[in-house]
Amino acid sequence: MEAKSLTENLSVRGQIKLADLKDIKAAGFTTVINNRPDGEAPRQPRSETLAKRSKELGLTYHYIPVFPGNMSAANISDFDKALLQNGGKILAFCRTGTRSSNLWAKTQVGKRSADDVITRGKAAGYDLSAHHAALNLNQPKTKIVNGENMLEKHQIVIIGGGSAGIATAASLLKRKPSLDIAIIEPKDEHFYQPGWTMVGGGIFSHKKTRRSMKDLMPKAAKWIKAAVSTFDPDNNTVTLSDGRTIGYEMLVTAPGLQLDFDKIEGLTETLGQNGVTSNYRYDLAPYTWKLVQGLKSGTAIFTQPVMPIKCAGAPQKAMYLSGDHWLRAGTLDNINIKFCNTGGAIFGVKAFVPALMEYVKRYNAELNFGEQLVKVDGPKKTAWFEKTDADGNKSQVERKFDMLHVCPPQSAPDFIKASPLANEAGWVDVDQHTLQHNKYPNVYGLGDAGSTPNAKTMAAARKQAPIVASNILAQLEGSNAIANYDGYGACPLTVEKGKVVLAEFGYGGKLLPSLPTWVLNGTKATRAAWFMKDSLLPNVYWNQMLKGKEFLAKPEITLK
């Protein structure tokens, strides 16, 4: 039975078999909730068995049995807690999915309107009309704010609780603690994504890169735990997926971007198995390291899609750290490394290419430019690439592999692409220097979803956040002060364990080193840069950037 979606995160279905759990994992679900009591039917898998197999697969498992006609307050409370505590995609099941969908409807009292719940249920094939009265009775009452009909209005609303969003809020509050700021973010967990390459190289534990969202949100800001559905910048409002409307005086968009794994045929079904992995996902980076350790001979392919992507160096970082391990293990001579890049160069800024090519030669890696991954057959260990030659002619290349590390195509989130804030390419349309929206002056955008032509890295967000904070505060106070962004981004290219090429550059490929070259020469592989990547930068991230301490990031303020 196919899973039916009730919300962006929750789907329901009928009874699963033990063997289904592997497919559930492959479909991207991270949590399973069993709402069917044991022993209802012959050959029904016991909860204990499902829990054990879920743990083996890395799935979170909850057993919340609901007896027919006897749904308890404890059932509703436990289900609600499970939904709130678990990020990612959640699958709930019972005999047919009816109990799970009704349980969800009970948890939505006071959160969603009756029409919204019933419509969602109907679309999934479940009649939830029996809950109409309860949902209407406890529906949140709107209030009139400044003559507008909305649930809330804030001085500054920030979309996204990732690196850019939290850093901007923290920088604003450092400057003026009395600001009324709300951060809209649906997820419970926050990730230090630059660390995932190190996880895939066996250097970091993946748990080291994850923290609770509630522990990182600035205490003076309000956290609205919801997803954004639509924008109405002409009326200074955003609508949430639960139907609520939030008003603002100033809006900051920092939602990050989305990973489009499903744009590659056959990829989603085989991720995490059959030798197919990606350091671009928290749950898959450990599998990368497992594959690297286990590969003694054969072909390892590393892919890079069309730009822009976040951390453009990450696909080759995975290649370098893998090659370094195989070199140290004495197996490199038995392994064919292939780097298949849709682009036409190993790196976009020429100053760093010579140092990188030294390591390409060290690991005897084959560079294949103009090749875009379009299809994967995991069980057959085969990948297909669309190759474009210098004249624009296209052909298909079939490659066998023993290990395949995929960097997925990436784009702005769908709710951004569909909004009035987006440019033709789907990115938030902002001025590349002030980060102010080109049409709506009380809207700013930063981070990966912005249209600025810089490298999409955490270091870029670290520089952008204080600039946005400064410019918003100046605008609120009627000042003519202005801060400008120079396109700074940094890519610490981990070329071997113990050495990094620290690429720092801005618009147009201009080199923008943070330290004098006698301290750290970014065009060379150095141990000093490794120390920064391995030890200094994670500390700067957790204890400086996300707390409004602008380490090497204070903006220069000028007058308009």
Side-chain angles (χ1 to χ4, degrees):
M1 180 183 291
E2 184 182 351
K4 302 293 185 180
S5 175
L6 290 175
T7 71
E8 292 76 9
N9 304 104
L10 175 66
S11 297
V12 297
R13 60 162 286 175
Q15 177 67 54
I16 67 171
K17 300 175 183 178
L18 186 64
D20 292 334
L21 286 170
K22 190 173 182 180
D23 293 331
I24 289 168
K25 169 79 172 183
F29 290 98
T30 57
T31 300
V32 174
I33 303 175
N34 180 2
N35 296 133
R36 193 178 190 190
D38 282 343
E40 276 196 344
R43 294 186 297 277
Q44 173 191 341
R46 291 181 57 80
S47 177
E48 182 180 355
T49 305
L50 292 170
K52 181 179 179 182
R53 181 56 176 151
S54 294
K55 185 176 181 180
E56 292 172 351
L57 292 168
L59 291 165
T60 301
Y61 178 85
H62 296 274
Y63 182 44
I64 307 173
V66 178
F67 292 90
N70 192 26
M71 185 181 293
S72 68
N75 290 152
I76 300 168
S77 176
D78 290 345
F79 193 79
D80 194 35
K81 289 177 183 177
L83 296 182
L84 293 173
Q85 291 172 359
N86 295 283
K89 292 176 64 177
I90 302 171
L91 177 68
F93 75 90
C94 53
R95 187 178 72 85
T96 63
T98 299
R99 272 172 276 184
S100 297
S101 59
N102 278 283
L103 197 53
W104 169 74
K106 290 280 191 182
T107 67
Q108 298 309 295
V109 173
K111 300 177 183 178
R112 296 178 187 266
S113 68
D115 288 344
D116 184 39
V117 170
I118 293 168
T119 299
R120 288 173 180 269
K122 185 177 181 180
Y126 299 101
D127 182 5
L128 302 178
S129 58
H131 302 284
H132 191 279
L135 288 161
N136 267 347
L137 182 64
N138 291 282
Q139 190 173 344
K141 301 299 187 294
T142 60
K143 60 182 179 180
I144 305 299
V145 181
N146 294 340
E148 300 171 64
N149 188 30
M150 63 186 67
L151 286 173
E152 293 182 31
K153 185 174 182 180
H154 296 278
Q155 191 176 22
I156 301 170
V157 169
I158 297 174
I159 311 300
S163 307
I166 290 182
T168 301
S171 288
L172 280 162
L173 290 166
K174 278 287 183 182
R175 288 169 168 76
K176 191 172 183 179
S178 63
L179 289 170
D180 170 25
I181 298 176
I183 302 175
I184 301 176
E185 171 55 58
K187 297 183 179 66
D188 288 304
E189 294 177 315
H190 183 106
F191 297 95
Y192 177 62
Q193 296 182 31
W196 291 349
T197 301
M198 304 288 267
V199 174
I203 297 151
F204 284 0
S205 161
H206 69 302
K207 293 180 180 179
K208 183 178 179 179
T209 69
R210 179 182 68 180
R211 293 193 184 180
S212 172
M213 189 70 74
K214 65 179 177 62
D215 294 336
L216 298 175
M217 284 286 178
K219 297 296 185 288
K222 178 176 181 179
W223 177 17
I224 299 175
K225 191 175 181 298
V228 172
S229 178
T230 60
F231 295 88
D232 184 359
D234 291 316
N235 293 298
N236 299 325
T237 63
V238 297
T239 302
L240 307 182
S241 57
D242 59 13
R244 285 182 289 167
T245 300
I246 308 295
Y248 60 82
E249 186 176 345
M250 305 291 295
L251 178 70
V252 178
T253 61
L257 47 67
Q258 67 184 23
L259 305 177
D260 297 322
F261 283 103
D262 55 355
K263 287 187 177 179
I264 299 172
E265 183 181 345
L267 176 60
T268 302
E269 301 93 301
T270 196
L271 277 171
Q273 56 186 328
N274 300 315
V276 183
T277 188
S278 177
N279 286 344
Y280 275 78
R281 250 176 47 183
Y282 170 79
D283 60 319
L284 293 176
Y287 183 54
T288 301
W289 178 231
K290 180 179 178 180
L291 291 175
V292 171
Q293 290 178 292
L295 189 65
K296 308 301 180 184
S297 64
T299 299
I301 300 177
F302 300 82
T303 76
Q304 180 167 313
V306 66
M307 293 294 182
I309 60 173
K310 58 181 171 182
C311 192
Q316 58 185 292
K317 293 181 196 179
M319 174 181 70
Y320 296 137
L321 286 178
S322 299
D324 181 62
H325 173 79
W326 294 324
L327 179 62
R328 294 170 189 264
T331 57
L332 183 61
D333 289 343
N334 301 321
I335 296 173
N336 298 314
I337 299 176
K338 299 179 186 295
F339 187 64
C340 298
N341 184 353
T342 307
I346 189 71
F347 199 72
V349 181
K350 292 182 179 180
F352 305 104
V353 171
L356 299 177
M357 286 303 299
E358 289 182 19
Y359 284 89
V360 169
K361 294 175 183 176
R362 174 182 293 192
Y363 304 130
N364 197 27
E366 175 187 306
L367 301 181
N368 298 288
F369 297 118
E371 292 196 8
Q372 181 174 356
L373 180 66
V374 294
K375 181 180 176 182
V376 177
D377 187 326
K380 292 183 179 180
K381 299 291 185 70
T382 306
W384 288 266
F385 296 82
E386 182 179 80
K387 184 173 181 64
T388 305
D389 65 19
D391 298 321
N393 300 311
K394 297 183 184 297
S395 59
Q396 193 169 79
V397 178
E398 178 181 312
R399 298 189 183 278
K400 297 290 185 180
F401 64 83
D402 296 282
M403 171 183 168
L404 176 64
H405 179 275
V406 178
C407 173
Q410 296 162 42
S411 64
D414 288 338
F415 72 92
I416 291 291
K417 284 186 274 191
S419 78
L421 303 178
N423 64 12
E424 291 182 359
W427 307 99
V428 179
D429 186 19
V430 296
D431 180 273
Q432 69 178 41
H433 298 296
T434 64
L435 306 179
Q436 184 179 37
H437 198 275
N438 286 318
K439 181 178 179 181
Y440 302 102
N442 64 334
V443 176
Y444 287 79
L446 74 159
D448 293 344
S451 63
T452 50
N454 59 279
K456 296 182 183 293
T457 66
M458 183 273 285
R462 183 171 60 84
K463 284 279 191 175
Q464 291 172 347
I467 288 169
V468 169
S470 296
N471 288 341
I472 284 178
L473 201 56
Q475 190 171 343
L476 287 172
E477 296 176 346
S479 167
N480 63 349
I482 192 169
N484 285 304
Y485 174 55
D486 57 7
Y488 176 86
C491 186
L493 292 143
T494 46
V495 290
E496 65 173 291
K497 187 176 181 179
K499 284 191 178 182
V500 162
V501 174
L502 181 58
E504 295 180 282
F505 51 93
Y507 290 139
K510 180 181 179 181
L511 302 191
L512 295 174
S514 299
L515 300 171
T517 54
W518 62 268
V519 176
L520 196 159
N521 185 347
T523 63
K524 305 290 183 183
T526 65
R527 296 192 181 280
W530 174 269
F531 171 75
M532 289 185 68
K533 172 70 175 175
D534 180 50
S535 303
L536 180 62
L537 292 180
N539 180 63
V540 167
Y541 183 79
W542 297 118
N543 300 313
Q544 299 278 329
M545 176 178 171
L546 299 187
K547 295 182 178 179
K549 300 174 183 177
E550 296 161 9
F551 176 72
L552 295 178
K554 287 189 179 298
E556 292 185 11
I557 308 298
T558 59
L559 298 179
K560 294 180 183 179

